[in-house]
Short mmCIF file of all heavy atoms in Angstrom, two decimals:
data_model
loop_
_atom_site.label_atom_id
_atom_site.label_comp_id
_atom_site.label_asym_id
_atom_site.label_seq_id
_atom_site.Cartn_x
_atom_site.Cartn_y
_atom_site.Cartn_z
N PHE A 1 0.81 -1.15 0.04
CA PHE A 1 -0.06 0.00 -0.03
C PHE A 1 0.78 1.26 0.05
O PHE A 1 0.59 2.17 -0.71
CB PHE A 1 -1.01 -0.07 1.29
CG PHE A 1 -1.39 1.33 1.60
CD1 PHE A 1 -2.36 2.09 1.01
CD2 PHE A 1 -0.83 1.93 2.84
CE1 PHE A 1 -2.67 3.33 1.41
CE2 PHE A 1 -1.15 3.16 3.23
CZ PHE A 1 -2.17 3.85 2.49
N LEU A 2 1.86 1.31 0.83
CA LEU A 2 2.85 2.40 0.93
C LEU A 2 3.46 2.61 -0.48
O LEU A 2 3.57 3.76 -0.92
CB LEU A 2 3.88 2.22 2.02
CG LEU A 2 3.44 2.26 3.41
CD1 LEU A 2 4.64 2.02 4.33
CD2 LEU A 2 2.70 3.58 3.78
N LEU A 3 3.77 1.57 -1.10
CA LEU A 3 4.62 1.66 -2.35
C LEU A 3 3.51 2.20 -3.56
O LEU A 3 3.88 3.09 -4.17
CB LEU A 3 5.16 0.40 -2.69
CG LEU A 3 6.16 0.38 -3.91
CD1 LEU A 3 7.35 1.33 -3.61
CD2 LEU A 3 6.72 -1.11 -4.12
N ALA A 4 2.46 1.58 -3.55
CA ALA A 4 1.43 1.98 -4.57
C ALA A 4 1.04 3.36 -4.45
O ALA A 4 1.13 4.18 -5.50
CB ALA A 4 0.38 1.02 -4.69
N CYS A 5 0.61 3.82 -3.41
CA CYS A 5 0.09 5.21 -3.09
C CYS A 5 1.17 6.29 -3.16
O CYS A 5 1.09 7.28 -3.61
CB CYS A 5 -0.72 5.28 -1.81
SG CYS A 5 -2.35 4.37 -1.97
N GLY A 6 2.31 5.73 -2.61
CA GLY A 6 3.52 6.66 -2.50
C GLY A 6 3.89 7.03 -3.89
O GLY A 6 4.25 8.15 -4.26
N LEU A 7 4.08 5.99 -4.87
CA LEU A 7 4.39 6.19 -6.12
C LEU A 7 3.50 7.09 -6.93
O LEU A 7 3.77 7.89 -7.79
CB LEU A 7 4.82 4.87 -6.82
CG LEU A 7 5.98 4.15 -6.43
CD1 LEU A 7 6.12 2.79 -6.99
CD2 LEU A 7 7.24 4.99 -6.77
N CYS A 8 2.13 6.85 -6.62
CA CYS A 8 1.21 7.61 -7.36
C CYS A 8 1.33 9.11 -6.99
O CYS A 8 1.25 9.99 -7.84
CB CYS A 8 -0.24 7.14 -7.00
SG CYS A 8 -1.64 7.93 -7.82
N GLN A 9 1.40 9.39 -5.78
CA GLN A 9 1.60 10.81 -5.20
C GLN A 9 2.98 11.42 -5.62
O GLN A 9 3.19 12.64 -6.12
CB GLN A 9 1.40 10.91 -3.74
CG GLN A 9 0.04 10.52 -3.27
CD GLN A 9 -1.04 11.31 -3.75
OE1 GLN A 9 -0.88 12.30 -4.49
NE2 GLN A 9 -2.29 10.93 -3.46
N ALA A 10 4.09 10.57 -5.67
CA ALA A 10 5.38 11.03 -6.04
C ALA A 10 5.39 11.30 -7.60
O ALA A 10 6.21 12.19 -7.95
CB ALA A 10 6.41 10.00 -5.81
N SER A 11 4.47 10.77 -8.32
CA SER A 11 4.41 11.01 -9.76
C SER A 11 4.11 12.44 -10.14
O SER A 11 4.33 12.88 -11.20
CB SER A 11 3.60 9.99 -10.58
OG SER A 11 2.24 10.43 -10.18
N HIS A 12 3.60 13.17 -9.15
CA HIS A 12 3.31 14.62 -9.30
C HIS A 12 4.72 15.50 -9.19
O HIS A 12 4.49 16.71 -9.26
CB HIS A 12 2.26 15.07 -8.42
CG HIS A 12 0.97 14.52 -8.43
ND1 HIS A 12 0.65 13.12 -7.97
CD2 HIS A 12 -0.08 14.96 -8.95
CE1 HIS A 12 -0.54 12.95 -8.21
NE2 HIS A 12 -1.08 13.97 -8.82
N SER A 13 5.73 14.95 -8.90
CA SER A 13 6.90 15.62 -8.53
C SER A 13 7.38 16.72 -9.53
O SER A 13 7.79 17.80 -9.34
CB SER A 13 8.19 14.76 -8.29
OG SER A 13 7.81 13.94 -7.10
N VAL A 14 7.47 16.31 -10.86
CA VAL A 14 7.76 17.30 -11.94
C VAL A 14 6.83 18.40 -11.98
O VAL A 14 7.14 19.52 -12.15
CB VAL A 14 8.00 16.47 -13.26
CG1 VAL A 14 8.15 17.57 -14.43
CG2 VAL A 14 9.23 15.63 -13.23
N LEU A 15 5.56 18.04 -11.84
CA LEU A 15 4.50 19.02 -11.91
C LEU A 15 4.64 20.13 -10.79
O LEU A 15 4.55 21.28 -11.03
CB LEU A 15 3.03 18.36 -11.88
CG LEU A 15 1.88 19.40 -11.91
CD1 LEU A 15 1.77 20.08 -13.14
CD2 LEU A 15 0.60 18.60 -11.54
N TYR A 16 4.81 19.53 -9.61
CA TYR A 16 4.89 20.51 -8.46
C TYR A 16 6.20 21.31 -8.50
O TYR A 16 6.11 22.37 -8.04
CB TYR A 16 4.93 19.65 -7.14
CG TYR A 16 3.60 18.95 -6.85
CD1 TYR A 16 3.47 17.83 -5.88
CD2 TYR A 16 2.33 19.29 -7.48
CE1 TYR A 16 2.33 17.31 -5.62
CE2 TYR A 16 1.06 18.64 -7.23
CZ TYR A 16 1.08 17.67 -6.29
OH TYR A 16 -0.14 16.98 -6.02
N SER A 17 7.25 20.71 -8.95
CA SER A 17 8.49 21.51 -8.97
C SER A 17 8.71 22.36 -10.18
O SER A 17 9.19 23.44 -9.99
CB SER A 17 9.69 20.45 -9.05
OG SER A 17 9.59 19.61 -7.85
N PHE A 18 8.27 21.91 -11.31
CA PHE A 18 8.48 22.64 -12.49
C PHE A 18 7.37 22.93 -13.49
O PHE A 18 7.50 23.51 -14.50
CB PHE A 18 9.62 21.89 -13.36
CG PHE A 18 10.84 21.67 -12.55
CD1 PHE A 18 11.12 20.47 -12.02
CD2 PHE A 18 11.69 22.70 -12.36
CE1 PHE A 18 12.44 20.06 -11.33
CE2 PHE A 18 12.94 22.44 -11.60
CZ PHE A 18 13.13 21.12 -11.04
N GLY A 19 6.10 22.57 -13.19
CA GLY A 19 4.92 22.77 -13.80
C GLY A 19 4.70 24.32 -14.16
O GLY A 19 4.62 24.72 -15.38
N THR A 20 4.69 25.18 -13.13
CA THR A 20 4.54 26.55 -13.30
C THR A 20 5.61 27.10 -14.13
O THR A 20 5.46 28.00 -14.98
CB THR A 20 4.45 27.26 -11.97
OG1 THR A 20 3.25 26.92 -11.26
CG2 THR A 20 4.32 28.77 -12.06
N LEU A 21 6.97 26.73 -13.97
CA LEU A 21 8.06 27.26 -14.73
C LEU A 21 7.94 26.81 -16.16
O LEU A 21 8.36 27.57 -17.03
CB LEU A 21 9.36 26.79 -14.05
CG LEU A 21 9.78 27.26 -12.64
CD1 LEU A 21 10.97 26.58 -12.19
CD2 LEU A 21 9.81 28.70 -12.60
N THR A 22 7.49 25.61 -16.32
CA THR A 22 7.30 25.24 -17.84
C THR A 22 6.22 25.94 -18.56
O THR A 22 6.58 26.46 -19.62
CB THR A 22 6.94 23.58 -17.75
OG1 THR A 22 7.86 22.82 -17.14
CG2 THR A 22 6.72 23.22 -19.25
N TRP A 23 5.14 26.21 -17.84
CA TRP A 23 4.04 27.00 -18.38
C TRP A 23 4.41 28.46 -18.69
O TRP A 23 4.16 29.01 -19.63
CB TRP A 23 2.83 26.83 -17.69
CG TRP A 23 2.36 25.40 -17.60
CD1 TRP A 23 2.72 24.35 -18.29
CD2 TRP A 23 1.62 24.76 -16.42
NE1 TRP A 23 2.16 23.15 -17.98
CE2 TRP A 23 1.48 23.44 -16.78
CE3 TRP A 23 0.95 25.39 -15.39
CZ2 TRP A 23 0.70 22.49 -15.93
CZ3 TRP A 23 0.26 24.42 -14.55
CH2 TRP A 23 0.16 23.09 -14.77
N ARG A 24 5.24 29.00 -17.59
CA ARG A 24 5.75 30.36 -17.93
C ARG A 24 6.56 30.43 -19.06
O ARG A 24 6.53 31.34 -19.85
CB ARG A 24 6.35 30.88 -16.58
CG ARG A 24 5.49 31.39 -15.48
CD ARG A 24 6.44 31.89 -14.27
NE ARG A 24 5.85 33.17 -13.90
CZ ARG A 24 6.74 34.01 -13.28
NH1 ARG A 24 8.01 33.91 -13.26
NH2 ARG A 24 6.12 35.19 -12.89
N GLY A 25 7.48 29.49 -19.21
CA GLY A 25 8.48 29.39 -20.28
C GLY A 25 7.72 29.19 -21.61
O GLY A 25 8.27 29.70 -22.68
N ALA A 26 6.50 28.78 -21.70
CA ALA A 26 5.81 28.70 -22.86
C ALA A 26 4.87 29.88 -23.26
O ALA A 26 4.16 29.82 -24.13
CB ALA A 26 4.87 27.54 -22.88
N GLY A 27 5.04 30.97 -22.44
CA GLY A 27 4.34 32.15 -22.60
C GLY A 27 2.97 32.25 -22.04
O GLY A 27 2.28 33.19 -22.33
N ILE A 28 2.70 31.37 -21.04
CA ILE A 28 1.38 31.47 -20.41
C ILE A 28 1.43 32.44 -19.22
O ILE A 28 2.43 32.27 -18.46
CB ILE A 28 0.87 30.05 -19.94
CG1 ILE A 28 0.83 29.16 -21.21
CG2 ILE A 28 -0.42 30.14 -19.28
CD1 ILE A 28 0.44 27.64 -20.66
N ASP A 29 0.51 33.34 -19.15
CA ASP A 29 0.65 34.33 -18.07
C ASP A 29 0.22 33.78 -16.69
O ASP A 29 -0.36 32.73 -16.56
CB ASP A 29 -0.23 35.48 -18.43
CG ASP A 29 -1.74 35.11 -18.43
OD1 ASP A 29 -2.33 35.19 -17.33
OD2 ASP A 29 -2.22 34.86 -19.49
N ASP A 30 0.65 34.44 -15.56
CA ASP A 30 0.40 33.96 -14.17
C ASP A 30 -0.99 33.82 -13.87
O ASP A 30 -1.31 32.80 -13.12
CB ASP A 30 1.21 34.84 -13.26
CG ASP A 30 2.75 34.89 -13.38
OD1 ASP A 30 3.23 33.55 -13.27
OD2 ASP A 30 3.37 35.82 -13.41
N VAL A 31 -1.84 34.72 -14.27
CA VAL A 31 -3.21 34.57 -13.89
C VAL A 31 -3.87 33.27 -14.55
O VAL A 31 -4.62 32.50 -13.89
CB VAL A 31 -4.09 35.72 -14.35
CG1 VAL A 31 -5.56 35.55 -14.09
CG2 VAL A 31 -3.60 36.99 -13.56
N THR A 32 -3.51 32.94 -15.77
CA THR A 32 -3.93 31.75 -16.46
C THR A 32 -3.33 30.55 -15.71
O THR A 32 -3.99 29.55 -15.59
CB THR A 32 -3.55 31.80 -17.88
OG1 THR A 32 -4.05 32.86 -18.56
CG2 THR A 32 -4.06 30.57 -18.63
N ILE A 33 -2.09 30.61 -15.36
CA ILE A 33 -1.43 29.48 -14.66
C ILE A 33 -2.17 29.16 -13.38
O ILE A 33 -2.45 28.02 -13.04
CB ILE A 33 0.00 29.65 -14.50
CG1 ILE A 33 0.85 29.72 -15.87
CG2 ILE A 33 0.67 28.77 -13.42
CD1 ILE A 33 2.27 30.13 -15.70
N SER A 34 -2.49 30.19 -12.63
CA SER A 34 -3.15 29.99 -11.36
C SER A 34 -4.57 29.43 -11.64
O SER A 34 -5.06 28.67 -10.83
CB SER A 34 -3.38 31.33 -10.63
OG SER A 34 -4.20 32.31 -11.25
N ALA A 35 -5.12 29.76 -12.85
CA ALA A 35 -6.50 29.15 -13.11
C ALA A 35 -6.29 27.77 -13.40
O ALA A 35 -7.19 26.86 -13.15
CB ALA A 35 -7.06 29.95 -14.34
N LEU A 36 -5.18 27.30 -14.10
CA LEU A 36 -4.97 25.90 -14.37
C LEU A 36 -4.81 25.08 -13.02
O LEU A 36 -5.33 24.02 -12.90
CB LEU A 36 -3.75 25.80 -15.19
CG LEU A 36 -3.80 26.14 -16.68
CD1 LEU A 36 -2.37 26.22 -17.32
CD2 LEU A 36 -4.73 25.17 -17.40
N TRP A 37 -4.10 25.62 -12.07
CA TRP A 37 -3.94 24.97 -10.85
C TRP A 37 -5.34 25.02 -10.10
O TRP A 37 -5.63 23.94 -9.52
CB TRP A 37 -2.93 25.71 -10.02
CG TRP A 37 -1.50 25.49 -10.24
CD1 TRP A 37 -0.70 26.27 -11.00
CD2 TRP A 37 -0.78 24.35 -9.93
NE1 TRP A 37 0.59 25.71 -11.19
CE2 TRP A 37 0.61 24.54 -10.42
CE3 TRP A 37 -1.02 23.10 -9.20
CZ2 TRP A 37 1.55 23.64 -10.40
CZ3 TRP A 37 0.02 22.18 -9.20
CH2 TRP A 37 1.31 22.47 -9.75
N ALA A 38 -6.08 26.04 -10.22
CA ALA A 38 -7.34 26.10 -9.53
C ALA A 38 -8.32 25.02 -10.14
O ALA A 38 -9.04 24.37 -9.43
CB ALA A 38 -7.96 27.51 -9.45
N GLU A 39 -8.27 24.99 -11.42
CA GLU A 39 -9.04 24.13 -12.20
C GLU A 39 -8.94 22.63 -11.73
O GLU A 39 -9.83 21.94 -11.41
CB GLU A 39 -8.95 24.12 -13.68
CG GLU A 39 -9.74 23.14 -14.53
CD GLU A 39 -8.84 22.44 -15.46
OE1 GLU A 39 -7.78 22.82 -15.85
OE2 GLU A 39 -9.36 21.49 -16.01
N SER A 40 -7.59 22.25 -11.57
CA SER A 40 -7.27 20.92 -11.21
C SER A 40 -7.91 20.51 -9.84
O SER A 40 -8.40 19.41 -9.65
CB SER A 40 -5.79 20.69 -11.15
OG SER A 40 -5.19 21.37 -10.06
N VAL A 41 -8.02 21.44 -9.01
CA VAL A 41 -8.56 21.23 -7.62
C VAL A 41 -10.10 21.30 -7.72
O VAL A 41 -10.68 20.62 -6.92
CB VAL A 41 -7.88 22.05 -6.58
CG1 VAL A 41 -8.42 21.84 -5.23
CG2 VAL A 41 -6.31 22.05 -6.56
N ALA A 42 -10.55 22.18 -8.42
CA ALA A 42 -12.10 22.43 -8.69
C ALA A 42 -12.64 20.88 -9.11
O ALA A 42 -13.68 20.51 -8.50
CB ALA A 42 -12.34 23.41 -9.51
#
């Protein structure tokens, strides 16, 4: 259980560390980026 759920949550690591930086580098503005994060939780 620890391994299965741990790996599922750890798979978000690139998104959490570099998702915003990647999208900023692609020219997406900060308000839109915050909307993308908010959408995922909505």
Side-chain angles (χ1 to χ4, degrees):
F1 155 74
L2 292 180
L3 192 57
C5 291
L7 288 171
C8 186
Q9 299 298 356
S11 72
H12 295 79
S13 295
V14 170
L15 177 69
Y16 292 164
S17 301
F18 302 105
T20 296
L21 296 175
T22 298
W23 301 336
R24 276 182 136 212
I28 302 175
D29 65 89
D30 287 313
V31 174
T32 301
I33 289 173
S34 66
L36 284 171
W37 283 102
E39 176 231 338
S40 69
V41 184

